[in-house]
Amino acid sequence: MTLHEFIFYIVTPILSISVLLILYRFLKGPSIVDRIIALDLIITTGIGFIAAYSILTNRPSFLDVAMILALIAFLGTVAFSYYIQKRNKK
């Protein structure tokens, strides 16, 4: 089994199933915190898809896109935690 077959037949289906489970948590989440964490996980899974696609197509330029998306997701999580902290102080 080559790397391309491994990514295509194992990694991509696992990422797809995880997106479905995370989407369920996003829609069903009892609180806003659960929904934000699910959204962050969807972005992280999207980064995994981008990395797998980059390997499959042999185009490393997509890894730059994944890195920028990871930075945006991190900043969003930090901003949300700051908002939750300020909301709880009131």
Side-chain angles (χ1 to χ4, degrees), residues 9-82:
Y9 293 118
I10 295 175
V11 173
T12 306
I14 289 174
L15 286 173
S16 300
I17 291 169
S18 67
V19 165
L20 292 176
L21 293 172
I22 295 167
L23 189 61
Y24 173 76
R25 174 49 57 195
F26 180 74
L27 296 174
K28 193 75 171 171
S31 69
I32 188 73
V33 176
D34 291 327
R35 290 187 171 106
I36 295 299
I37 291 172
L39 187 63
D40 193 36
L41 281 173
I42 287 174
I43 293 171
T44 304
T45 309
I47 292 168
F49 275 117
I50 292 171
Y53 182 75
S54 172
I55 292 170
L56 286 174
T57 59
N58 199 19
R59 296 182 69 187
S61 61
F62 284 115
L63 294 176
D64 295 335
V65 174
M67 189 169 46
I68 291 170
L69 190 59
L71 178 63
I72 291 170
F74 171 73
L75 292 176
T77 303
V78 168
F80 176 71
S81 64
Y82 180 76

